[in-house]
Amino acid sequence: MSTENAPEMPPRRLLWTLLVAAVLLAADQLTKWWAVDALTDRAPIPVIGDFIRFRLLYNPGAAFSLGADSTWIFAIVAAVAVVALLWISRKVRSAGWAISLGLLLGGATTHLGDRLFRDPGFARGHVVDFIDYNGWFVGNVADIALFFGAVALFVLSFRGVPIDGVKQTVEE
């Protein structure tokens, strides 16, 4: 059987990106389910003194509840981010890039899901936040993944690690 005209299989690194995103999506939604069930109508629960506490909040805005009246805009931004990350992930040949993009894709996807399907309604849903960092901000598992994914992409870019695994050489 000839493979000349066979469709190209997705690169193995794309599968890693999708796997990381799927695991993160599941972990984030399960922890949010737990938070809603365990923390509704409860006082904050100290985890590491007052430095880290579990406290349930529904965030209509972005980080630090900015733009609380623009929830539908955040739904659109999250949808665009998901599509862009999927598009970019097709080129991935580097394990570091695959994992980093998977963290970003999973975080963006789970936030998009919250915006689309949680109360108060479609494209106006509030993100469930429950990890309180000493009163500085309250986040969730997806926020942690988004932070580490962004830091990893910065480090990979700074170190010159190419997304496609092909090192560029400068000819003199």
Side-chain angles (χ1 to χ4, degrees):
M1 176 175 197
S2 172
T3 59
E4 229 174 89
N5 294 327
E8 185 178 324
M9 293 297 291
R12 180 176 248 165
R13 299 295 188 220
L14 173 60
L15 297 177
W16 276 105
T17 299
L18 296 174
L19 178 64
V20 168
V23 168
L24 175 62
L25 177 67
D28 183 67
Q29 289 300 310
L30 285 171
T31 57
K32 287 176 180 175
W33 173 80
W34 168 83
V36 169
D37 186 59
L39 302 174
T40 298
D41 298 325
R42 290 200 51 192
I45 299 172
V47 176
I48 302 175
D50 283 338
F51 186 71
I52 302 283
R53 299 180 298 168
F54 290 145
R55 177 169 67 108
L56 183 63
L57 292 177
Y58 294 93
N59 184 358
F64 307 105
S65 295
L66 297 173
D69 295 330
S70 303
T71 302
W72 65 274
I73 293 173
F74 297 123
I76 292 169
V77 169
V80 168
V82 167
V83 170
L85 288 163
L86 285 168
W87 182 262
I88 292 167
S89 294
R90 297 176 319 114
K91 298 179 180 182
V92 172
R93 300 291 185 274
S94 158
W97 278 90
I99 292 168
S100 301
L101 289 172
L103 292 171
L104 295 175
L105 179 61
T109 302
T110 193
H111 278 159
L112 175 61
D114 284 356
R115 298 284 181 207
L116 293 179
F117 303 116
R118 288 196 186 272
D119 286 336
F122 185 78
R124 297 178 295 120
H126 297 178
V127 173
V128 174
D129 287 333
F130 64 94
I131 305 170
D132 183 339
Y133 298 90
N134 200 34
W136 297 326
F137 60 94
V138 182
N140 53 50
V141 172
D143 295 330
I144 295 167
L146 288 166
F147 173 79
F148 282 107
V151 168
L153 287 186
F154 175 78
V155 170
L156 290 166
S157 296
F158 184 75
R159 294 189 64 210
V161 176
I163 192 169
D164 63 2
V166 178
K167 284 273 190 192
Q168 299 293 326
T169 57
V170 178
E171 294 188 29
E172 294 181 38

